[in-house]
Amino acid sequence: MLNVRSFVFLPIILGALLFAAGCESDPSQLADDSATIASQAPLDKAVAEIEVPTPTSTPEPTPTPTPEPTLTPTPPSIEIRVPGDATLEVSSSGGASFSFAQPLVQGGTGELTTLCNPASGGLFPMGKTKVTCTATDGIQTEVGEFTVTVLDTLPPVLTVPNAVVTTTAFGATTATVHFPSPNGVDAAGGPITASCNPASGSPFPIGISLVTCRATDPSENEAVVTFSVEVIDAGVPREIASGCPASGKGTSFPPLPMLLKGTATLDGAPAPDGVLVFVRQSNTTVGVGLQTCDSDPAVVSNGQYPLLSFTPPEAIPSWFASVTFYVDGRPATASVNMTVNNYAGGDLVTVNLDAITR
């Protein structure tokens, strides 16, 4: 680009060039031209009349507008509402079955799928179990949780014997009582420890005693059940009715006793040693009423009673109308039916006896 200084010296240069060209073609002409130039206006005036062009500025380029970004809409989030925590009572050795309501879900961009683990209706073990429910629309996922607690708060079911009734041996003040062990069952299925006080096989006094049985399950829940034991005094009165005649009264020679022996059982099992066996004779006499006499007792040993002496109080055969045997103070069933007709004084007869205690 030419500046102002270039335009100032341009006429001088152009003139020099023209002068040189003229000299080459015609020396005389060159001299005339020089004289012509010299006669023209002063240099500074010529320079001042030169038009200096104004430089043109390049316009700034128009900026291209930046396009607005395309916004992708945010999908609605998934909301899940699960059931609240639950507490159950154990119902089996495996725990407890539990069915819960399905979670409430909403939101998302498509079809929602919900899955809970463990599933509703399943068996939950003892203790705390966390249930995790997951909802998804294929793009988003939301999780909810709740807790199921299974407890054992109930005591075991304890079964004990019914009331026990027994009789002392003759002259004894206590009776040894045996009863079945209590049976305990727990809903959780764990081992049950049961005990009774007094224990089976203990001596019980005459009267009614209370037996307390306890059972504890693995969760330390305790069951307490009681039952009674009644011990009856088996003291045998020698003469129950007044006026019972002495043996042989009214005759010159008393009858010979009938000797009895045999087994003695209680509920079909051999009677314990020391249990007494005796026979009771009864008769109703006109003008006197009922008369009852008991024989002297025999003592059981090894399930046998030896040599029970049975003698009617009168030699008159019609005196005893009925004969009842007793084992441990209880009426017994005899293997031989004793009547006046089969009474045999002086003979040894086997009669097996069994009494029922319940």
Side-chain angles (χ1 to χ4, degrees), residues 235-297:
V236 181
R238 305 309 327 130
E239 291 186 356
I240 298 178
S242 62
C244 184
S247 177
K249 182 180 179 180
T251 62
S252 56
F253 298 98
L256 294 175
M258 185 175 182
L259 301 179
L260 308 177
K261 69 171 186 174
T263 60
T265 58
L266 295 173
D267 302 319
D273 290 354
V275 167
L276 300 184
V277 175
F278 66 93
V279 60
R280 177 169 295 168
Q281 313 162 65
S282 302
N283 183 44
T284 301
T285 304
V286 177
V288 176
L290 178 65
Q291 292 180 306
T292 302
C293 290
D294 299 323
S295 68
D296 290 332

Side-chain angles (χ1 to χ4, degrees), residues 137-297:
D137 60 2
I139 300 175
Q140 305 176 85
T141 299
E142 189 66 28
V143 176
E145 295 178 336
F146 65 98
T147 301
V148 176
T149 304
V150 179
L151 302 176
D152 179 14
T153 62
L154 299 179
V157 178
L158 186 60
T159 303
V160 298
N162 294 325
V164 176
V165 179
T166 189
T167 305
T168 65
F170 182 70
T173 58
T174 62
T176 300
V177 179
H178 297 270
F179 49 81
S181 298
N183 180 36
V185 178
D186 187 54
I192 303 299
T193 302
S195 61
C196 294
N197 185 31
S200 177
S202 300
F204 285 77
I206 295 172
I208 298 177
S209 301
L210 198 63
V211 178
T212 301
C213 298
R214 301 177 183 272
T216 305
D217 65 14
S219 298
E220 298 186 356
N221 300 309
E222 185 182 52
V224 180
V225 182
T226 61
F227 66 97
S228 63
V229 172
E230 182 179 6
V231 177
I232 300 173
D233 185 0
V236 181
R238 305 309 327 130
E239 291 186 356
I240 298 178
S242 62
C244 184
S247 177
K249 182 180 179 180
T251 62
S252 56
F253 298 98
L256 294 175
M258 185 175 182
L259 301 179
L260 308 177
K261 69 171 186 174
T263 60
T265 58
L266 295 173
D267 302 319
D273 290 354
V275 167
L276 300 184
V277 175
F278 66 93
V279 60
R280 177 169 295 168
Q281 313 162 65
S282 302
N283 183 44
T284 301
T285 304
V286 177
V288 176
L290 178 65
Q291 292 180 306
T292 302
C293 290
D294 299 323
S295 68
D296 290 332

